[in-house]
Amino acid sequence: QVQLVESGGGLVQAGDPLTLSCAASGRALNTYNEAWFRQAPGKEREFVSAIKWNGQDTSYADSVKGRFTISRDNTKNTVYLRMNSLTPDDAAVYYCAAGSIWLGTETYEYSIWGQGTRVTVSS
Protein backbone atom coordinates (compact mmCIF):
# COMPACT_ATOMS: atom_id res chain seq x y z
CA GLN A 1 0.00 0.00 0.00
CA VAL A 2 1.17 3.51 -0.81
CA GLN A 3 1.41 6.19 1.86
CA LEU A 4 1.39 9.82 0.77
CA VAL A 5 2.90 12.74 2.66
CA GLU A 6 2.42 16.32 1.50
CA SER A 7 4.78 19.15 2.32
CA GLY A 8 5.55 22.69 1.26
CA GLY A 9 2.52 24.50 2.57
CA GLY A 10 2.81 27.74 4.48
CA LEU A 11 1.95 31.40 4.62
CA VAL A 12 2.61 33.49 1.53
CA GLN A 13 1.56 36.87 0.22
CA ALA A 14 -0.81 37.29 -2.68
CA GLY A 15 1.10 37.02 -5.93
CA ASP A 16 3.84 34.84 -4.47
CA PRO A 17 4.63 31.34 -5.74
CA LEU A 18 4.69 28.14 -3.75
CA THR A 19 5.53 24.54 -4.58
CA LEU A 20 3.90 21.62 -2.85
CA SER A 21 5.36 18.14 -2.80
CA CYS A 22 3.72 14.77 -2.30
CA ALA A 23 6.13 11.98 -1.42
CA ALA A 24 5.06 8.37 -1.62
CA SER A 25 6.38 5.45 0.35
CA GLY A 26 5.52 1.79 0.63
CA ARG A 27 5.16 1.15 -3.06
CA ALA A 28 6.26 2.70 -6.33
CA LEU A 29 4.16 5.63 -7.39
CA ASN A 30 4.57 5.03 -11.10
CA THR A 31 1.51 2.79 -11.36
CA TYR A 32 -0.87 5.44 -10.02
CA ASN A 33 -2.46 8.52 -11.44
CA GLU A 34 -2.01 11.39 -9.02
CA ALA A 35 -4.11 14.38 -8.19
CA TRP A 36 -4.20 17.43 -5.98
CA PHE A 37 -7.40 18.49 -4.26
CA ARG A 38 -7.98 21.36 -1.88
CA GLN A 39 -10.47 22.16 0.81
CA ALA A 40 -11.14 25.63 2.16
CA PRO A 41 -12.93 26.16 5.48
CA GLY A 42 -16.64 25.49 5.14
CA LYS A 43 -16.30 24.20 1.60
CA GLU A 44 -16.19 20.81 -0.01
CA ARG A 45 -12.96 19.29 -1.17
CA GLU A 46 -12.42 20.24 -4.80
CA PHE A 47 -10.28 18.99 -7.64
CA VAL A 48 -7.25 21.09 -8.52
CA SER A 49 -5.07 19.09 -10.89
CA ALA A 50 -4.15 15.57 -11.96
CA ILE A 51 -1.29 13.86 -13.75
CA LYS A 52 -1.28 10.50 -15.41
CA TRP A 53 0.91 7.70 -14.05
CA ASN A 54 3.46 8.19 -16.83
CA GLY A 55 3.35 11.98 -16.77
CA GLN A 56 2.03 12.10 -20.32
CA ASP A 57 -1.22 13.87 -19.56
CA THR A 58 -2.34 16.51 -17.11
CA SER A 59 -5.56 18.25 -16.22
CA TYR A 60 -6.42 21.41 -14.29
CA ALA A 61 -9.45 23.02 -12.76
CA ASP A 62 -10.44 26.19 -14.58
CA SER A 63 -9.71 28.22 -11.46
CA VAL A 64 -6.00 27.33 -11.52
CA LYS A 65 -5.36 26.81 -15.23
CA GLY A 66 -2.41 28.87 -16.37
CA ARG A 67 -1.20 29.47 -12.80
CA PHE A 68 -0.57 25.98 -11.42
CA THR A 69 1.63 23.26 -12.86
CA ILE A 70 1.58 19.63 -11.80
CA SER A 71 4.56 17.39 -12.40
CA ARG A 72 5.99 14.15 -11.15
CA ASP A 73 9.34 12.46 -10.75
CA ASN A 74 8.76 8.74 -10.55
CA THR A 75 12.42 8.13 -9.75
CA LYS A 76 11.85 10.10 -6.55
CA ASN A 77 8.32 8.82 -5.98
CA THR A 78 7.19 12.44 -5.74
CA VAL A 79 4.50 14.60 -7.30
CA TYR A 80 4.71 18.38 -7.28
CA LEU A 81 2.29 21.27 -7.59
CA ARG A 82 3.87 24.55 -8.57
CA MET A 83 1.50 27.39 -7.75
CA ASN A 84 2.07 30.86 -9.17
CA SER A 85 0.18 34.11 -8.68
CA LEU A 86 -1.52 32.91 -5.54
CA THR A 87 -4.61 34.73 -4.35
CA PRO A 88 -6.55 34.50 -1.07
CA ASP A 89 -9.05 32.29 -2.93
CA ASP A 90 -6.31 29.66 -3.21
CA ALA A 91 -6.00 29.37 0.56
CA ALA A 92 -6.94 25.86 1.64
CA VAL A 93 -5.63 22.57 2.87
CA TYR A 94 -4.13 20.82 -0.14
CA TYR A 95 -4.30 17.05 -0.40
CA CYS A 96 -2.61 14.70 -2.80
CA ALA A 97 -4.31 11.51 -3.84
CA ALA A 98 -3.48 8.40 -5.82
CA GLY A 99 -5.80 6.27 -7.89
CA SER A 100 -6.25 4.11 -10.96
CA ILE A 101 -8.91 6.07 -12.86
CA TRP A 102 -8.03 8.55 -15.57
CA LEU A 103 -9.26 11.19 -15.51
CA GLY A 104 -10.64 11.30 -12.01
CA THR A 105 -11.85 14.66 -10.74
CA GLU A 106 -14.01 13.41 -7.88
CA THR A 107 -12.75 12.44 -4.44
CA TYR A 108 -14.34 9.00 -4.58
CA GLU A 109 -12.20 8.14 -7.60
CA TYR A 110 -9.07 8.16 -5.45
CA SER A 111 -8.39 5.50 -2.86
CA ILE A 112 -5.18 6.79 -1.29
CA TRP A 113 -4.86 10.18 0.39
CA GLY A 114 -2.28 12.18 2.23
CA GLN A 115 -2.92 14.12 5.41
CA GLY A 116 -2.85 17.52 3.72
CA THR A 117 -0.72 20.63 3.88
CA ARG A 118 -2.15 24.06 4.62
CA VAL A 119 -1.65 27.02 2.30
CA THR A 120 -2.48 30.46 3.62
CA VAL A 121 -2.43 33.49 1.35
CA SER A 122 -2.43 36.98 2.80
CA SER A 123 -3.78 39.86 0.75
Side-chain angles (χ1 to χ4, degrees), residues 13-39:
Q13 292 188 335
D16 284 352
L18 194 65
T19 298
L20 306 181
S21 299
C22 174
S25 62
R27 185 177 171 180
L29 197 60
N30 59 6
T31 59
Y32 292 95
N33 302 314
E34 289 282 321
W36 287 94
F37 286 75
R38 66 186 181 186
Q39 188 166 18

mmCIF file of all heavy atoms in Angstrom, residues 13-39:
data_model
loop_
_atom_site.group_PDB
_atom_site.id
_atom_site.type_symbol
_atom_site.label_atom_id
_atom_site.label_comp_id
_atom_site.label_asym_id
_atom_site.label_seq_id
_atom_site.Cartn_x
_atom_site.Cartn_y
_atom_site.Cartn_z
ATOM 1 N N GLN A 13 2.316 35.682 0.600
ATOM 2 C CA GLN A 13 1.556 36.873 0.222
ATOM 3 C C GLN A 13 0.924 36.663 -1.143
ATOM 4 O O GLN A 13 1.429 35.883 -1.964
ATOM 5 C CB GLN A 13 2.461 38.091 0.201
ATOM 6 C CG GLN A 13 2.962 38.506 1.583
ATOM 7 C CD GLN A 13 3.695 39.828 1.553
ATOM 8 O OE1 GLN A 13 4.244 40.230 0.535
ATOM 9 N NE2 GLN A 13 3.704 40.525 2.689
ATOM 10 N N ALA A 14 -0.156 37.357 -1.381
ATOM 11 C CA ALA A 14 -0.813 37.289 -2.685
ATOM 12 C C ALA A 14 0.190 37.633 -3.780
ATOM 13 O O ALA A 14 0.952 38.597 -3.652
ATOM 14 C CB ALA A 14 -1.998 38.237 -2.733
ATOM 15 N N GLY A 15 0.186 36.822 -4.825
ATOM 16 C CA GLY A 15 1.102 37.019 -5.927
ATOM 17 C C GLY A 15 2.360 36.175 -5.834
ATOM 18 O O GLY A 15 3.064 35.995 -6.835
ATOM 19 N N ASP A 16 2.653 35.664 -4.655
ATOM 20 C CA ASP A 16 3.838 34.842 -4.471
ATOM 21 C C ASP A 16 3.625 33.443 -5.028
ATOM 22 O O ASP A 16 2.494 32.970 -5.136
ATOM 23 C CB ASP A 16 4.185 34.729 -2.984
ATOM 24 C CG ASP A 16 4.836 35.984 -2.460
ATOM 25 O OD1 ASP A 16 5.162 36.883 -3.261
ATOM 26 O OD2 ASP A 16 5.011 36.072 -1.224
ATOM 27 N N PRO A 17 4.718 32.743 -5.337
ATOM 28 C CA PRO A 17 4.625 31.341 -5.744
ATOM 29 C C PRO A 17 4.858 30.403 -4.556
ATOM 30 O O PRO A 17 5.375 30.819 -3.516
ATOM 31 C CB PRO A 17 5.775 31.204 -6.737
ATOM 32 C CG PRO A 17 6.821 32.131 -6.195
ATOM 33 C CD PRO A 17 6.070 33.278 -5.554
ATOM 34 N N LEU A 18 4.471 29.158 -4.758
ATOM 35 C CA LEU A 18 4.692 28.137 -3.746
ATOM 36 C C LEU A 18 4.663 26.785 -4.442
ATOM 37 O O LEU A 18 3.877 26.595 -5.377
ATOM 38 C CB LEU A 18 3.603 28.185 -2.675
ATOM 39 C CG LEU A 18 3.836 27.429 -1.364
ATOM 40 C CD1 LEU A 18 4.998 28.032 -0.596
ATOM 41 C CD2 LEU A 18 2.565 27.455 -0.509
ATOM 42 N N THR A 19 5.517 25.892 -3.996
ATOM 43 C CA THR A 19 5.529 24.544 -4.576
ATOM 44 C C THR A 19 5.234 23.521 -3.490
ATOM 45 O O THR A 19 5.909 23.492 -2.461
ATOM 46 C CB THR A 19 6.881 24.228 -5.235
ATOM 47 O OG1 THR A 19 7.105 25.142 -6.313
ATOM 48 C CG2 THR A 19 6.880 22.812 -5.792
ATOM 49 N N LEU A 20 4.235 22.715 -3.744
ATOM 50 C CA LEU A 20 3.896 21.615 -2.853
ATOM 51 C C LEU A 20 4.503 20.317 -3.373
ATOM 52 O O LEU A 20 4.637 20.130 -4.577
ATOM 53 C CB LEU A 20 2.374 21.462 -2.752
ATOM 54 C CG LEU A 20 1.587 22.704 -2.347
ATOM 55 C CD1 LEU A 20 0.095 22.369 -2.268
ATOM 56 C CD2 LEU A 20 2.084 23.283 -1.050
ATOM 57 N N SER A 21 4.843 19.451 -2.441
ATOM 58 C CA SER A 21 5.363 18.137 -2.798
ATOM 59 C C SER A 21 4.515 17.054 -2.156
ATOM 60 O O SER A 21 3.961 17.249 -1.073
ATOM 61 C CB SER A 21 6.813 17.981 -2.322
ATOM 62 O OG SER A 21 7.649 18.939 -2.912
ATOM 63 N N CYS A 22 4.440 15.934 -2.821
ATOM 64 C CA CYS A 22 3.724 14.770 -2.304
ATOM 65 C C CYS A 22 4.647 13.571 -2.475
ATOM 66 O O CYS A 22 4.859 13.114 -3.596
ATOM 67 C CB CYS A 22 2.416 14.570 -3.044
ATOM 68 S SG CYS A 22 1.535 13.065 -2.589
ATOM 69 N N ALA A 23 5.190 13.101 -1.377
ATOM 70 C CA ALA A 23 6.129 11.983 -1.416
ATOM 71 C C ALA A 23 5.412 10.695 -1.063
ATOM 72 O O ALA A 23 4.637 10.634 -0.109
ATOM 73 C CB ALA A 23 7.269 12.227 -0.441
ATOM 74 N N ALA A 24 5.697 9.667 -1.837
ATOM 75 C CA ALA A 24 5.065 8.371 -1.623
ATOM 76 C C ALA A 24 6.054 7.390 -1.029
ATOM 77 O O ALA A 24 7.243 7.414 -1.338
ATOM 78 C CB ALA A 24 4.530 7.824 -2.931
ATOM 79 N N SER A 25 5.556 6.523 -0.197
ATOM 80 C CA SER A 25 6.377 5.452 0.351
ATOM 81 C C SER A 25 5.541 4.185 0.408
ATOM 82 O O SER A 25 4.316 4.225 0.338
ATOM 83 C CB SER A 25 6.864 5.804 1.756
ATOM 84 O OG SER A 25 5.775 5.972 2.637
ATOM 85 N N GLY A 26 6.217 3.068 0.501
ATOM 86 C CA GLY A 26 5.521 1.794 0.632
ATOM 87 C C GLY A 26 5.353 1.050 -0.670
ATOM 88 O O GLY A 26 5.242 -0.165 -0.686
ATOM 89 N N ARG A 27 5.329 1.773 -1.749
ATOM 90 C CA ARG A 27 5.160 1.145 -3.057
ATOM 91 C C ARG A 27 5.469 2.194 -4.114
ATOM 92 O O ARG A 27 5.273 3.389 -3.877
ATOM 93 C CB ARG A 27 3.732 0.633 -3.239
ATOM 94 C CG ARG A 27 3.496 -0.133 -4.529
ATOM 95 C CD ARG A 27 2.084 -0.679 -4.612
ATOM 96 N NE ARG A 27 1.788 -1.223 -5.926
ATOM 97 C CZ ARG A 27 0.622 -1.759 -6.255
ATOM 98 N NH1 ARG A 27 -0.351 -1.828 -5.367
ATOM 99 N NH2 ARG A 27 0.409 -2.207 -7.464
ATOM 100 N N ALA A 28 5.912 1.751 -5.272
ATOM 101 C CA ALA A 28 6.255 2.695 -6.333
ATOM 102 C C ALA A 28 5.023 3.468 -6.779
ATOM 103 O O ALA A 28 3.919 2.927 -6.894
ATOM 104 C CB ALA A 28 6.869 1.953 -7.514
ATOM 105 N N LEU A 29 5.256 4.746 -7.025
ATOM 106 C CA LEU A 29 4.160 5.634 -7.389
ATOM 107 C C LEU A 29 3.825 5.544 -8.871
ATOM 108 O O LEU A 29 2.763 5.997 -9.302
ATOM 109 C CB LEU A 29 4.564 7.068 -7.033
ATOM 110 C CG LEU A 29 3.481 8.120 -6.947
ATOM 111 C CD1 LEU A 29 2.462 7.753 -5.889
ATOM 112 C CD2 LEU A 29 4.094 9.465 -6.656
ATOM 113 N N ASN A 30 4.704 4.922 -9.654
ATOM 114 C CA ASN A 30 4.568 5.029 -11.101
ATOM 115 C C ASN A 30 3.446 4.189 -11.696
ATOM 116 O O ASN A 30 3.285 4.158 -12.910
ATOM 117 C CB ASN A 30 5.889 4.712 -11.786
ATOM 118 C CG ASN A 30 6.390 3.320 -11.468
ATOM 119 O OD1 ASN A 30 5.698 2.543 -10.811
ATOM 120 N ND2 ASN A 30 7.589 3.012 -11.913
ATOM 121 N N THR A 31 2.673 3.508 -10.836
ATOM 122 C CA THR A 31 1.513 2.793 -11.358
ATOM 123 C C THR A 31 0.214 3.537 -11.071
ATOM 124 O O THR A 31 -0.859 3.070 -11.446
ATOM 125 C CB THR A 31 1.421 1.387 -10.739
ATOM 126 O OG1 THR A 31 1.318 1.512 -9.317
ATOM 127 C CG2 THR A 31 2.650 0.569 -11.093
ATOM 128 N N TYR A 32 0.318 4.691 -10.420
ATOM 129 C CA TYR A 32 -0.867 5.442 -10.024
ATOM 130 C C TYR A 32 -0.969 6.772 -10.748
ATOM 131 O O TYR A 32 0.032 7.445 -10.975
ATOM 132 C CB TYR A 32 -0.840 5.731 -8.522
ATOM 133 C CG TYR A 32 -0.999 4.513 -7.637
ATOM 134 C CD1 TYR A 32 0.113 3.852 -7.140
ATOM 135 C CD2 TYR A 32 -2.259 4.047 -7.292
ATOM 136 C CE1 TYR A 32 -0.027 2.749 -6.315
ATOM 137 C CE2 TYR A 32 -2.407 2.944 -6.473
ATOM 138 C CZ TYR A 32 -1.291 2.299 -5.986
ATOM 139 O OH TYR A 32 -1.426 1.202 -5.183
ATOM 140 N N ASN A 33 -2.194 7.137 -11.069
ATOM 141 C CA ASN A 33 -2.459 8.517 -11.437
ATOM 142 C C ASN A 33 -2.525 9.323 -10.135
ATOM 143 O O ASN A 33 -2.975 8.820 -9.107
ATOM 144 C CB ASN A 33 -3.784 8.626 -12.181
ATOM 145 C CG ASN A 33 -3.796 7.768 -13.429
ATOM 146 O OD1 ASN A 33 -2.853 7.760 -14.205
ATOM 147 N ND2 ASN A 33 -4.879 7.016 -13.614
ATOM 148 N N GLU A 34 -2.068 10.552 -10.215
ATOM 149 C CA GLU A 34 -2.007 11.386 -9.016
ATOM 150 C C GLU A 34 -2.812 12.659 -9.206
ATOM 151 O O GLU A 34 -2.893 13.190 -10.321
ATOM 152 C CB GLU A 34 -0.560 11.765 -8.722
ATOM 153 C CG GLU A 34 0.306 10.634 -8.225
ATOM 154 C CD GLU A 34 0.039 10.349 -6.768
ATOM 155 O OE1 GLU A 34 -0.165 11.290 -5.992
ATOM 156 O OE2 GLU A 34 0.034 9.157 -6.402
ATOM 157 N N ALA A 35 -3.342 13.151 -8.114
ATOM 158 C CA ALA A 35 -4.115 14.379 -8.190
ATOM 159 C C ALA A 35 -3.886 15.217 -6.945
ATOM 160 O O ALA A 35 -3.476 14.707 -5.895
ATOM 161 C CB ALA A 35 -5.602 14.064 -8.326
ATOM 162 N N TRP A 36 -4.145 16.501 -7.107
ATOM 163 C CA TRP A 36 -4.204 17.427 -5.981
ATOM 164 C C TRP A 36 -5.646 17.919 -5.844
ATOM 165 O O TRP A 36 -6.285 18.280 -6.838
ATOM 166 C CB TRP A 36 -3.278 18.618 -6.204
ATOM 167 C CG TRP A 36 -1.829 18.296 -6.065
ATOM 168 C CD1 TRP A 36 -0.958 17.957 -7.065
ATOM 169 C CD2 TRP A 36 -1.067 18.287 -4.861
ATOM 170 N NE1 TRP A 36 0.291 17.734 -6.556
ATOM 171 C CE2 TRP A 36 0.254 17.927 -5.201
ATOM 172 C CE3 TRP A 36 -1.359 18.548 -3.522
ATOM 173 C CZ2 TRP A 36 1.280 17.826 -4.247
ATOM 174 C CZ3 TRP A 36 -0.355 18.441 -2.581
ATOM 175 C CH2 TRP A 36 0.951 18.089 -2.947
ATOM 176 N N PHE A 37 -6.115 17.908 -4.615
ATOM 177 C CA PHE A 37 -7.396 18.490 -4.264
ATOM 178 C C PHE A 37 -7.133 19.544 -3.194
ATOM 179 O O PHE A 37 -6.066 19.566 -2.576
ATOM 180 C CB PHE A 37 -8.346 17.419 -3.691
ATOM 181 C CG PHE A 37 -8.910 16.488 -4.717
ATOM 182 C CD1 PHE A 37 -8.134 15.468 -5.274
ATOM 183 C CD2 PHE A 37 -10.227 16.601 -5.143
ATOM 184 C CE1 PHE A 37 -8.657 14.593 -6.220
ATOM 185 C CE2 PHE A 37 -10.758 15.742 -6.085
ATOM 186 C CZ PHE A 37 -9.969 14.736 -6.617
ATOM 187 N N ARG A 38 -8.109 20.391 -2.969
ATOM 188 C CA ARG A 38 -7.984 21.357 -1.879
ATOM 189 C C ARG A 38 -9.339 21.550 -1.208
ATOM 190 O O ARG A 38 -10.382 21.345 -1.814
ATOM 191 C CB ARG A 38 -7.455 22.691 -2.391
ATOM 192 C CG ARG A 38 -8.386 23.440 -3.323
ATOM 193 C CD ARG A 38 -7.681 24.675 -3.888
ATOM 194 N NE ARG A 38 -8.559 25.441 -4.775
ATOM 195 C CZ ARG A 38 -8.147 26.495 -5.483
ATOM 196 N NH1 ARG A 38 -6.882 26.898 -5.413
ATOM 197 N NH2 ARG A 38 -9.008 27.151 -6.245
ATOM 198 N N GLN A 39 -9.251 21.941 0.053
ATOM 199 C CA GLN A 39 -10.468 22.159 0.814
ATOM 200 C C GLN A 39 -10.304 23.404 1.669
ATOM 201 O O GLN A 39 -9.449 23.451 2.557
ATOM 202 C CB GLN A 39 -10.782 20.959 1.705
ATOM 203 C CG GLN A 39 -12.129 21.045 2.387
ATOM 204 C CD GLN A 39 -12.555 19.716 2.976
ATOM 205 O OE1 GLN A 39 -11.756 18.804 3.189
ATOM 206 N NE2 GLN A 39 -13.843 19.574 3.241
#
